[in-house]
Amino acid sequence: MFKAVIGAEKLKEAIESVSTLVEEAKLKLSPEGFSVRAVDPANVAMVSLDLARDAFDSFEATDGELGIDLTKLNGIMEMADKGDGIELDLDETAHKLILRMRGLSYTMSLLDPSSIRKEPKVPSLDLPAHIVIRGEDLKRAVKAAEKVSDYMSIGVRGEVFFMEAEGDTDNVQLEMTKDQLVELKPGEAKSLFSLDYLTDISRIAGKTPEVSIDVGRDYPLKIRFKIADGHGDVSYMLAPRVESE
Amino acid sequence: MFKAVIGAEKLKEAIESVSTLVEEAKLKLSPEGFSVRAVDPANVAMVSLDLARDAFDSFEATDGELGIDLTKLNGIMEMADKGDGIELDLDETAHKLILRMRGLSYTMSLLDPSSIRKEPKVPSLDLPAHIVIRGEDLKRAVKAAEKVSDYMSIGVRGEVFFMEAEGDTDNVQLEMTKDQLVELKPGEAKSLFSLDYLTDISRIAGKTPEVSIDVGRDYPLKIRFKIADGHGDVSYMLAPRVESE
Amino acid sequence: MFKAVIGAEKLKEAIESVSTLVEEAKLKLSPEGFSVRAVDPANVAMVSLDLARDAFDSFEATDGELGIDLTKLNGIMEMADKGDGIELDLDETAHKLILRMRGLSYTMSLLDPSSIRKEPKVPSLDLPAHIVIRGEDLKRAVKAAEKVSDYMSIGVRGEVFFMEAEGDTDNVQLEMTKDQLVELKPGEAKSLFSLDYLTDISRIAGKTPEVSIDVGRDYPLKIRFKIADGHGDVSYMLAPRVESE
């Protein structure tokens, strides 16, 4: 059983945070809200989304699992205006999710959850350095790095957070000291990441005021931020690329 | 003889309402204004445009007929700004129409009217149901229907106007009661139409506040609205698609 | 030695005025500012840019020459916001130019100046007619001419400045009298120019309030305007196309 109403903007944010990595996902329902865990097909990045019932105008759900075509759901969301409320209604017998917005109703077939890639186990990592950066600064550095390379180093040197990309002839560097960041917990850290993934993630993260980054030495990166007025948590884990070539 | 001045925005609206269906058309001139009747190449949709002399800042014309390349005329209109007045001047001996806007003059060759597809006879239909809907609601329903199908049903059920599209797995439905519409005259009606045409028509109609729709049971649809501050009438007739497959 | 700070917008204007014709250029440095002279690969158009030290927030340079990849420099400029200041810093030993903007630094390899096409000699021409036109009027006429032809005549007839393009069936004409122009010095003049070049040039010139044009009879055209709040001069010379075919 699932019946809820939510602002279009909040649902959009939530869906996009996952659809940037995968096209289909299992949405886990509980009386407390919903959550999604997914890995991208190449097993490089993992996303974890939790949307609490407080993000909704109204929310009623029993434990369950819905197989969702995220690409399609994004398309449906385009029909809603920013201020619209979206009503979600599960038709369990027909295996359909009905979305209603200002008189319009869209009946979407659900996917068989067992046909969707299994959810990953989220590893618990103890990463030495912790940074909180403004979303737009992250996005800007990633965009700049794309000009010269397909990879980007992220790390902390002394009291300075850095993001660097080296091309064949040119290179790009962003250095931020504690006072230019929201927060900095120093620690030895430098890892190399694929810009393909960082671009997708920073497009989503770039819209939020504060993005938390945990990074280590040749270790996965953790990027976390809030959505839906603080009632949603999005977190990505991104595998490093070993530099030795 | 034809010599007139009109606001760029009004002429643009008028030309686009016809060019959405055909690339060339015969423009019928009379001392009272001009009119165009045209059918699309597939004989599915028909447009009828009447622009009264009151839509013009000045207007002088004798009875006549001009063969117009609408695609080209649209291109010329792009050179005008919203507030510009367009001066139209017919050079009968050279078979050219001169368009002037802020110092710039464009001399456009006319087409031989006899080379253009004959104008259709507009059939008079007695359609049982009549609806007046806001243009943007029509456009929204058409856009939503495109997500799932190439066809859309339009009709009235009891006191409810509906537009519906059914896809292989998903479907879309808009239902509007009398109080959500500008006007509703109930009557048994449901016909299926090609979204190719409805998309083009609703892109034009979607800009006007009120669109009048007449619909019957497996009968052509009539869509009408005003342009040019009420001095122009545009009406489309769209053939239904028989549902039995 | 070269070390300077300049508003992003001013540097962008300056670079684009040259990159519209060539992809690489030699930037001549002196204590008074910098300058660029370049001809396009087809030898049809020539650009001459002078940016005075007053255009900069701070400027220090000794005489020198930098080989610049303008396409790349344009890409770097995209990372700056309108209000940003750009810091330019030459690393002479490494042959690199470092660009800094809001914490981000981009290290760009310089090209070997000797690998870049030689600078042209700017011929001194005595052109009979002189016009000062608003940038947007020039741009508008060029855009209109593109609708009908690949070439455009520019000239003066009596006290009227004209730009004309003739197509197979249609033609476009802009005529401006002294009072519609900023300035007009009459003189017998009419030359034909390629719209390929005029389009590129007028896209840049169209943003400035006043553009000065010197034109003769089957002679090159001179187009000049100010950039960077009057501290920069851009001038183009465009070869005519002989009409007799």
Side-chain angles (χ1 to χ4, degrees), chain B residues 9-40:
Chain B
E9 209 51 16
K10 289 179 193 167
L11 186 57
K12 234 181 227 180
E13 275 186 328
I15 300 307
E16 283 176 3
S17 70
V18 180
S19 68
T20 198
L21 286 191
V22 293
E23 290 181 5
E24 303 179 343
K26 270 180 279 192
L27 198 148
K28 277 233 157 107
L29 288 169
S30 85
E32 298 315 313
F34 76 67
S35 66
V36 180
R37 307 273 172 277
V39 234
D40 86 293

Side-chain angles (χ1 to χ4, degrees), chain B residues 72 74-76 78-81 84 96 101-109, chain C residues 134 136-137 140-141 143-145 147-148 168-175 180:
Chain B
K72 189 186 281 180
N74 272 330
I76 300 170
E78 280 168 21
M79 302 187 297
D81 280 341
D84 284 0
K96 310 232 178 215
M101 39 196 132
R102 275 195 297 138
L104 203 73
S105 68
Y106 189 108
T107 306
M108 177 174 78
S109 281
Chain C
R134 290 186 311 148
E136 58 179 291
D137 284 336
R140 213 168 131 254
K143 268 191 140 177
K147 303 261 177 210
V148 301
D168 290 336
T169 58
D170 298 356
N171 61 72
V172 155
Q173 192 174 44
L174 182 81
E175 289 195 339
Q180 295 170 304

Side-chain angles (χ1 to χ4, degrees), chain A residues 186-204:
Chain A
E188 222 225 327
K190 183 182 179 186
S191 303
L192 188 69
F193 302 98
S194 160
L195 279 166
D196 276 356
Y197 291 90
L198 283 171
T199 300
D200 287 346
I201 294 172
S202 73
R203 212 183 48 231
I204 309 286

